[in-house]
Amino acid sequence: WWTDAFNLALQRLGFGFTMVSDWGELEAALAGDDPWDLVIVNNYYASTMVSGLDALVGHLDGGGTLIFADWAVYSYPHHDLLTRLGVTYQSTFTTPLDFAATNPDHLCFRHPNTISALHWNQDQSTRDGQIVAVNPGALQLAAFDGYPGSGAIVQAASGRAVFNGFQWTNFSADDNG
């Protein structure tokens, strides 16, 4: 699930990275002595381990940063991680939805490229994203078409975590195709 685009983006941001391919490896990496600048969880395949979610809560509570997307949010709708991410699970959808910026002036839509909408062009699996309510204090950055309060992208109140309600693998097009 790793792509050259991810690698290039991290290089442009000046981040080195360690890639793990399962929840057990993630837990071990987070338990190590080295601090993490940023953890990115982008799970579209593996079964989610609650102990891995607990490790991410510990990472955030310890001052860490996180970008999080997981196809299986429906399986742990009341986990503390979702609270830390600033969202409350509502439902899962099974056909990808386009989404657009609700806060188009936010830095994430302006640097290094201007993007205001993303359009799905693949339907990879049976669960393609989540509709979530945005908790008080969190900032909705994008919403799914037809669901104005859906939290397609949400920045947690802490400013140190981002929840993505979409599955990236369904998207390879933006405003300019």
Side-chain angles (χ1 to χ4, degrees):
W1 299 108
W2 187 256
T3 69
D4 289 337
F6 291 158
N7 188 14
L8 182 60
L10 291 172
Q11 286 178 4
R12 286 181 177 169
L13 291 169
F15 288 127
F17 63 88
T18 300
M19 185 181 129
V20 299
S21 59
D22 66 47
W23 288 97
E25 288 180 19
L26 175 65
E27 286 180 68
L30 289 174
D33 293 332
D34 295 327
W36 290 81
D37 293 320
L38 172 64
V39 172
I40 301 171
V41 173
N42 193 26
N43 182 31
Y44 191 60
Y45 177 71
S47 296
T48 304
M49 292 176 49
V50 171
S51 57
L53 301 175
D54 294 342
L56 292 171
V57 167
H59 171 72
L60 287 172
D61 288 353
T65 55
L66 173 66
I67 298 172
F68 184 84
D70 185 9
W71 72 279
V73 171
Y74 71 94
S75 68
Y76 52 89
H78 304 292
H79 195 278
D80 287 343
L81 179 61
L82 298 180
T83 302
R84 301 298 193 291
L85 291 169
V87 301
T88 300
Y89 173 80
Q90 302 290 304
S91 64
T92 296
F93 53 88
T94 58
T95 298
L97 297 170
D98 291 344
F99 63 94
T102 55
N103 191 344
D105 293 327
H106 191 277
L107 182 62
C108 73
F109 297 112
R110 294 281 172 229
H111 183 74
N113 301 310
T114 299
I115 299 171
S116 62
L118 288 125
H119 312 289
W120 72 276
N121 61 353
Q122 299 181 55
D123 189 358
Q124 298 285 322
S125 193
T126 59
R127 297 190 189 274
D128 295 303
Q130 298 84 37
I131 302 294
V132 297
V134 179
N135 294 349
L139 178 63
Q140 178 175 281
L141 299 175
F144 293 108
D145 289 0
Y147 300 89
S150 58
I153 303 175
V154 176
Q155 182 178 9
S158 68
R160 293 182 292 104
V162 173
F163 173 83
N164 290 331
F166 63 94
Q167 297 303 312
W168 69 270
T169 193
N170 293 324
F171 294 84
S172 64
D174 59 18
D175 291 339
N176 62 2

